[in-house]
Amino acid sequence: MTDTEPSVALGELIDLSGKRALVTGGGKGIGAAIARRLVEAGAAVTIADLDPNASRAAAQIGAEFVTCDITDASQLAAAFDVADGGGGLHIVVNNAGIFPTTGSLTEVTDAFVDRMLDVNVRAQFSATREAARRMATGGSIVNLASIAGLGGGANISAYAASKAAVIALTRAAANELGASGIRVNAIAPGIIDTPGVQEQMEPLRAGGIDVDARIASNPVGQRGLPDHVARCALFLASDLAAFVSGHVLVVDGGATA
Ligand SMILES: NC(=O)c1ccc[n+]([C@@H]2O[C@H](COP(=O)([O-])OP(=O)(O)OC[C@H]3O[C@@H](n4cnc5c(N)ncnc54)[C@H](O)[C@@H]3O)[C@@H](O)[C@H]2O)c1
């Protein structure tokens, strides 16, 4: 920092009081952890999730809750209406996503690919458009990509393609929306221990594979936890990242290093 720059206290940089935030898919897993950190930093947070049972968890952390399938245009708009309360939005975390195993590239059906792209790309695109329209005073959009969108992997071709598209959308939107004071960044997590991942790994566990060891198989040697991602989302959402846009932040304990 040069002496011509204002000195801002650290607490102020992460203080989100007065900010309104929407987290899609915040009912559990990574999204729930992000919502919790945003509330802790003072933001008024709305969670939009497919699962109505997630309303209890939202209430426990002090977030609003809207049952919403992000692929449904009217449900998505209704969720944004609740989140902005007529006064605009400052933070949108596009976290809702699906990750069923694609299986063999030669066997995958068009319907499977359509569904993957509809949730992970098209709906996230719609949410980004909705966010940009409502961030009249600027803001921060954080998109959940994946290391799969950077490096691929066997049997996950549809998912990898969807997350590569999220990264491209993030960079394009960062270019386009910067002039409106809107920063757009992505987080690319490695394996994070969430309900969705545990569900995915159940057949492996049943087959005698040490799933916990697999989840902790990275240079840091720790299980990736939802809060590891949430801390980075808080960074990107806050003024700590005031000059960061179009970035893809890899959060994988060094797995892709
Ligand atoms: N967990 C990981 O290892 C990992 C790694 C890389 C990227 N990601 C990405 O992070 C995000 C969250 O992953 P997670 O592991 O926490 O998932 P999860 O399956 O544990 O939770 C996802 C949440 O999103 C909700 N959701 C799903 N489809 C929705 C829809 N159409 N509309 C609204 N809500 C919907 C679910 O109800 C659920 O509450 C996803 O985009 C995923 O691709 C996860």
Side-chain angles (χ1 to χ4, degrees):
M1 185 181 285
T2 71
D3 56 6
T4 56
E5 287 170 332
S7 166
V8 184
L10 182 60
E12 268 179 67
L13 290 174
I14 56 167
D15 181 8
L16 300 181
S17 45
K19 309 277 188 199
R20 277 183 295 276
L22 174 67
V23 181
T24 68
K28 63 184 179 200
I30 292 170
I34 292 173
R36 195 162 42 241
R37 285 294 181 186
L38 294 178
V39 169
E40 190 184 353
V45 177
T46 298
I47 288 172
D49 200 289
L50 202 53
D51 177 8
N53 295 323
S55 62
R56 276 195 302 275
Q60 273 166 9
I61 63 162
E64 289 287 326
F65 181 83
V66 186
T67 305
C68 166
D69 179 345
I70 60 162
T71 64
D72 181 299
S74 59
Q75 289 183 34
L76 187 67
F80 271 87
D81 283 345
V82 170
D84 83 5
L89 264 176
H90 308 94
I91 297 161
V92 170
V93 182
N94 281 313
N95 164 81
I98 55 173
F99 39 92
T101 305
T102 307
S104 163
L105 183 59
T106 54
E107 302 298 329
V108 66
T109 64
D110 286 351
F112 183 97
V113 177
D114 280 348
R115 175 74 186 147
M116 186 78 83
L117 296 181
D118 194 40
V119 179
N120 289 3
V121 184
R122 205 270 313 148
Q124 204 172 116
F125 198 110
S126 303
T128 300
R129 181 180 59 209
E130 199 72 41
R133 286 176 176 162
R134 295 173 190 248
M135 289 180 166
T137 57
S140 171
I141 299 173
V142 179
N143 295 328
L144 265 293
S146 165
I147 56 169
L150 293 165
N155 293 316
I156 57 165
S157 54
Y159 180 66
S162 76
K163 292 302 186 178
V166 167
I167 290 169
L169 169 62
T170 299
R171 291 188 171 133
N175 273 282
E176 198 169 323
L177 300 176
S180 305
I182 301 171
R183 297 182 294 103
V184 191
N185 292 288
I187 297 178
I191 298 181
I192 305 296
D193 195 353
T194 65
V197 161
Q198 285 294 339
E199 199 180 304
Q200 280 280 312
M201 297 234 171
E202 203 39 55
L204 300 182
R205 199 189 292 280
I209 289 173
D210 185 346
V211 165
D212 294 331
R214 183 169 285 202
I215 292 176
S217 153
N218 55 60
V220 169
Q222 286 177 31
R223 224 162 26 110
L225 299 174
D227 194 55
H228 287 135
V229 180
R231 293 175 204 182
C232 295
L234 177 61
F235 162 72
L236 292 172
S238 76
D239 278 350
L240 283 173
F243 199 50
V244 180
S245 196
H247 184 65
V248 182
L249 181 52
V250 173
V251 185
D252 68 350
T256 52

